[in-house]
Amino acid sequence: AAGVIQSPRHLIKEKRETATLKCYPIPRHDTVYWYQQGPGQDPQFLISFYEKMQSDKGSIPDRFSAQQFSDYHSELNMSSLELGDSALYFCASSSATPSGNTEAFFGQGTRLTVV
Amino acid sequence: AQKITQTQPGMFVQEKEAVTLDCTYDTSDQSYGLFWYKQPSSGEMIFLIYQGSYDEQNATEGRYSLNFQKARKSANLVISASQLGDSAMYFCAMSSDQTGANNLFFGTGTRLTVIP
């Protein structure tokens, strides 16, 4: 079965550069979530989208922005990168139903290293 | 505010034996969902099992079962017949979203090592 696809899998950027992470949800999933997991840390919720609209917002820095496109894929844009942004970035997707969302599946993550 | 506590930083279990990973939670929400995820050393986050706060039966998924004790606010994961491939970090998580993955609060994780 198709899973959540994230690209790139690994990314190395310098301080103050920008980065764009992409997430392709499971087909027919309309909800996308972004999480950040620092080294040795638990994942932290950043932001989520449902039907191309922002659904909920967590601890996403102002330097980051995200959107969901008409084909339901999502992009996380990160500007003025800092060393502390080095982390594993997960995307997850689920499908909204009248009784709530289906279970969410995570992608394999994008490992961002800022040098 | 929601909080998840996993008090076992590391656990060891003999292959083919059962193991229980502890998770307690705190929330003022009446409706919430509890999740367990597995994160192998390769880094991906794998969904294992889900329990809704209104579910009366404990969730089971193959070798995984969730021992849900609502009054004690605990949601322990039981893995039966451990396999070497079960060695990984295990995260307990909670959301007021019932399902999905909106605003999941994660615990600090338990690293499970299965010994041959």
Side-chain angles (χ1 to χ4, degrees), chain A residues 44-69:
Chain A
Q44 298 291 318
F45 173 70
L46 293 178
I47 196 166
S48 61
F49 292 87
Y50 166 66
E51 284 290 344
K52 293 151 280 184
M53 300 286 290
Q54 181 181 308
S55 170
D56 205 348
K57 194 171 180 179
S59 52
I60 185 169
D62 292 340
R63 298 178 290 108
F64 294 5
S65 65
Q67 57 181 322
Q68 186 180 32
F69 295 85

Side-chain angles (χ1 to χ4, degrees), chain A residues 3-6 22-27 29-36 43-50 55 67-68 72-76 88-95 101-110, chain B residues 35 37 44-47 97 99-104 106:
Chain A
V4 177
I5 306 295
Q6 290 188 246
K22 297 185 179 182
C23 168
Y24 297 88
I26 291 172
H29 279 193
D30 49 21
T31 306
V32 168
Y33 317 83
W34 286 97
Y35 282 81
Q36 176 193 57
Q44 298 291 318
F45 173 70
L46 293 178
I47 196 166
S48 61
F49 292 87
Y50 166 66
S55 170
Q67 57 181 322
Q68 186 180 32
Y72 296 105
H73 94 272
S74 178
E75 294 184 3
L76 177 66
L88 190 56
Y89 290 84
F90 285 108
C91 170
S93 75
S94 67
S95 179
N101 278 296
T102 61
E103 65 188 62
F105 292 91
F106 280 76
Q108 291 190 299
T110 293
Chain B
F35 306 75
Y37 289 89
E44 70 265 37
M45 194 69 78
I46 302 167
F47 167 79
D97 199 25
T99 53
N102 217 25
N103 226 337
L104 282 169
F106 285 81

Side-chain angles (χ1 to χ4, degrees), chain B residues 45-62:
Chain B
M45 194 69 78
I46 302 167
F47 167 79
L48 293 179
I49 197 166
Y50 161 81
Q51 178 89 38
S53 57
Y54 293 121
D55 296 339
E56 294 186 354
Q57 301 269 8
N58 284 342
T60 59
E61 289 285 349

Side-chain angles (χ1 to χ4, degrees), chain B residues 32-94:
Chain B
Y32 50 88
L34 295 156
F35 306 75
W36 277 93
Y37 289 89
K38 172 184 178 182
Q39 187 173 41
S41 55
S42 51
E44 70 265 37
M45 194 69 78
I46 302 167
F47 167 79
L48 293 179
I49 197 166
Y50 161 81
Q51 178 89 38
S53 57
Y54 293 121
D55 296 339
E56 294 186 354
Q57 301 269 8
N58 284 342
T60 59
E61 289 285 349
R63 295 186 298 110
Y64 305 108
S65 61
L66 200 153
N67 184 359
F68 180 46
Q69 297 188 44
K70 195 170 181 177
R72 299 176 67 176
K73 293 191 174 178
S74 75
N76 298 339
L77 176 71
V78 181
I79 305 175
S80 62
S82 298
Q83 302 172 356
L84 295 179
D86 293 335
S87 293
M89 185 72 107
Y90 289 80
F91 288 98
C92 178
M94 165 179 209

